[in-house]
mmCIF file of all heavy atoms in Angstrom:
data_model
loop_
_atom_site.group_PDB
_atom_site.id
_atom_site.type_symbol
_atom_site.label_atom_id
_atom_site.label_comp_id
_atom_site.label_asym_id
_atom_site.label_seq_id
_atom_site.Cartn_x
_atom_site.Cartn_y
_atom_site.Cartn_z
ATOM 1 N N LYS A 343 -10.326 47.321 -83.307
ATOM 2 C CA LYS A 343 -11.173 47.924 -82.312
ATOM 3 C C LYS A 343 -12.486 48.118 -83.067
ATOM 4 O O LYS A 343 -12.590 48.196 -84.280
ATOM 5 C CB LYS A 343 -10.666 49.259 -81.897
ATOM 6 C CG LYS A 343 -9.573 49.215 -81.089
ATOM 7 C CD LYS A 343 -8.987 50.594 -80.688
ATOM 8 C CE LYS A 343 -7.726 50.543 -79.812
ATOM 9 N NZ LYS A 343 -7.316 51.946 -79.401
ATOM 10 N N GLY A 344 -13.635 48.167 -82.349
ATOM 11 C CA GLY A 344 -14.957 48.379 -82.971
ATOM 12 C C GLY A 344 -16.022 48.291 -81.973
ATOM 13 O O GLY A 344 -15.915 48.321 -80.746
ATOM 14 N N ASP A 345 -17.331 48.095 -82.523
ATOM 15 C CA ASP A 345 -18.403 47.867 -81.637
ATOM 16 C C ASP A 345 -19.249 46.738 -82.368
ATOM 17 O O ASP A 345 -19.124 46.375 -83.489
ATOM 18 C CB ASP A 345 -19.264 49.113 -81.433
ATOM 19 C CG ASP A 345 -19.540 49.916 -82.815
ATOM 20 O OD1 ASP A 345 -20.001 49.180 -83.809
ATOM 21 O OD2 ASP A 345 -19.338 50.985 -82.913
ATOM 22 N N PHE A 346 -20.243 46.318 -81.593
ATOM 23 C CA PHE A 346 -21.134 45.230 -82.122
ATOM 24 C C PHE A 346 -22.453 45.457 -81.438
ATOM 25 O O PHE A 346 -22.697 46.017 -80.444
ATOM 26 C CB PHE A 346 -20.628 43.835 -81.796
ATOM 27 C CG PHE A 346 -20.597 43.491 -80.308
ATOM 28 C CD1 PHE A 346 -21.708 42.749 -79.743
ATOM 29 C CD2 PHE A 346 -19.582 43.908 -79.454
ATOM 30 C CE1 PHE A 346 -21.780 42.447 -78.494
ATOM 31 C CE2 PHE A 346 -19.753 43.641 -78.125
ATOM 32 C CZ PHE A 346 -20.765 42.875 -77.580
ATOM 33 N N ARG A 347 -23.467 44.896 -82.160
ATOM 34 C CA ARG A 347 -24.836 44.852 -81.707
ATOM 35 C C ARG A 347 -25.596 43.515 -82.288
ATOM 36 O O ARG A 347 -25.585 43.406 -83.481
ATOM 37 C CB ARG A 347 -25.666 46.056 -82.078
ATOM 38 C CG ARG A 347 -27.048 46.153 -81.432
ATOM 39 C CD ARG A 347 -27.612 47.500 -81.714
ATOM 40 N NE ARG A 347 -28.935 47.744 -80.960
ATOM 41 C CZ ARG A 347 -30.102 47.784 -81.586
ATOM 42 N NH1 ARG A 347 -30.231 47.591 -82.963
ATOM 43 N NH2 ARG A 347 -31.169 47.811 -80.947
ATOM 44 N N VAL A 348 -25.969 42.610 -81.484
ATOM 45 C CA VAL A 348 -26.691 41.476 -81.954
ATOM 46 C C VAL A 348 -27.999 41.358 -81.029
ATOM 47 O O VAL A 348 -28.070 41.680 -79.959
ATOM 48 C CB VAL A 348 -25.858 40.179 -81.815
ATOM 49 C CG1 VAL A 348 -24.629 40.305 -82.712
ATOM 50 C CG2 VAL A 348 -25.381 39.984 -80.339
ATOM 51 N N GLY A 349 -29.014 40.824 -81.690
ATOM 52 C CA GLY A 349 -30.168 40.683 -80.981
ATOM 53 C C GLY A 349 -31.409 40.413 -81.784
ATOM 54 O O GLY A 349 -31.250 39.966 -83.033
ATOM 55 N N GLY A 350 -32.589 40.365 -81.189
ATOM 56 C CA GLY A 350 -33.793 39.999 -82.000
ATOM 57 C C GLY A 350 -34.882 41.069 -81.587
ATOM 58 O O GLY A 350 -35.099 41.408 -80.456
ATOM 59 N N GLY A 351 -35.615 41.547 -82.579
ATOM 60 C CA GLY A 351 -36.655 42.516 -82.457
ATOM 61 C C GLY A 351 -38.058 41.978 -83.005
ATOM 62 O O GLY A 351 -38.024 41.233 -84.032
ATOM 63 N N TYR A 352 -39.098 42.246 -82.179
ATOM 64 C CA TYR A 352 -40.300 41.740 -82.639
ATOM 65 C C TYR A 352 -41.352 42.925 -82.925
ATOM 66 O O TYR A 352 -41.288 43.987 -82.174
ATOM 67 C CB TYR A 352 -40.954 40.956 -81.548
ATOM 68 C CG TYR A 352 -42.469 40.492 -81.708
ATOM 69 C CD1 TYR A 352 -42.818 39.523 -82.582
ATOM 70 C CD2 TYR A 352 -43.502 41.301 -81.102
ATOM 71 C CE1 TYR A 352 -44.095 39.162 -82.835
ATOM 72 C CE2 TYR A 352 -44.769 40.973 -81.371
ATOM 73 C CZ TYR A 352 -45.109 39.938 -82.232
ATOM 74 O OH TYR A 352 -46.473 39.538 -82.418
ATOM 75 N N THR A 353 -41.970 42.827 -84.074
ATOM 76 C CA THR A 353 -43.125 43.853 -84.249
ATOM 77 C C THR A 353 -44.469 43.023 -84.587
ATOM 78 O O THR A 353 -44.354 42.057 -85.398
ATOM 79 C CB THR A 353 -42.736 44.579 -85.490
ATOM 80 O OG1 THR A 353 -41.403 45.316 -85.221
ATOM 81 C CG2 THR A 353 -43.805 45.812 -85.789
ATOM 82 N N ALA A 354 -45.437 43.463 -83.977
ATOM 83 C CA ALA A 354 -46.797 42.783 -84.151
ATOM 84 C C ALA A 354 -47.014 42.852 -85.702
ATOM 85 O O ALA A 354 -46.850 43.847 -86.339
ATOM 86 C CB ALA A 354 -47.829 43.478 -83.401
ATOM 87 N N GLY A 355 -47.552 41.755 -86.178
ATOM 88 C CA GLY A 355 -47.919 41.564 -87.573
ATOM 89 C C GLY A 355 -46.642 41.187 -88.535
ATOM 90 O O GLY A 355 -46.961 40.717 -89.651
ATOM 91 N N LYS A 356 -45.485 41.415 -88.071
ATOM 92 C CA LYS A 356 -44.279 41.009 -88.821
ATOM 93 C C LYS A 356 -43.518 39.966 -88.219
ATOM 94 O O LYS A 356 -42.724 39.182 -88.846
ATOM 95 C CB LYS A 356 -43.401 42.226 -89.036
ATOM 96 C CG LYS A 356 -44.135 43.400 -89.900
ATOM 97 C CD LYS A 356 -43.120 44.543 -89.966
ATOM 98 C CE LYS A 356 -43.773 45.711 -90.796
ATOM 99 N NZ LYS A 356 -42.854 46.836 -90.953
ATOM 100 N N GLY A 357 -43.590 39.748 -86.824
ATOM 101 C CA GLY A 357 -42.890 38.639 -86.150
ATOM 102 C C GLY A 357 -41.435 39.095 -85.761
ATOM 103 O O GLY A 357 -41.105 40.339 -85.774
ATOM 104 N N TRP A 358 -40.641 38.103 -85.542
ATOM 105 C CA TRP A 358 -39.271 38.342 -85.070
ATOM 106 C C TRP A 358 -38.359 38.543 -86.249
ATOM 107 O O TRP A 358 -38.453 37.844 -87.309
ATOM 108 C CB TRP A 358 -38.839 37.211 -84.221
ATOM 109 C CG TRP A 358 -39.439 37.147 -82.829
ATOM 110 C CD1 TRP A 358 -40.483 36.542 -82.388
ATOM 111 C CD2 TRP A 358 -38.870 37.904 -81.695
ATOM 112 N NE1 TRP A 358 -40.697 36.720 -81.093
ATOM 113 C CE2 TRP A 358 -39.752 37.670 -80.611
ATOM 114 C CE3 TRP A 358 -37.834 38.817 -81.451
ATOM 115 C CZ2 TRP A 358 -39.599 38.266 -79.263
ATOM 116 C CZ3 TRP A 358 -37.719 39.371 -80.197
ATOM 117 C CH2 TRP A 358 -38.502 39.187 -79.164
#
Side-chain angles (χ1 to χ4, degrees):
K343 294 182 179 181
D345 53 49
F346 69 95
R347 185 172 187 251
V348 295
Y352 172 81
T353 303
K356 297 182 180 180
W358 284 96

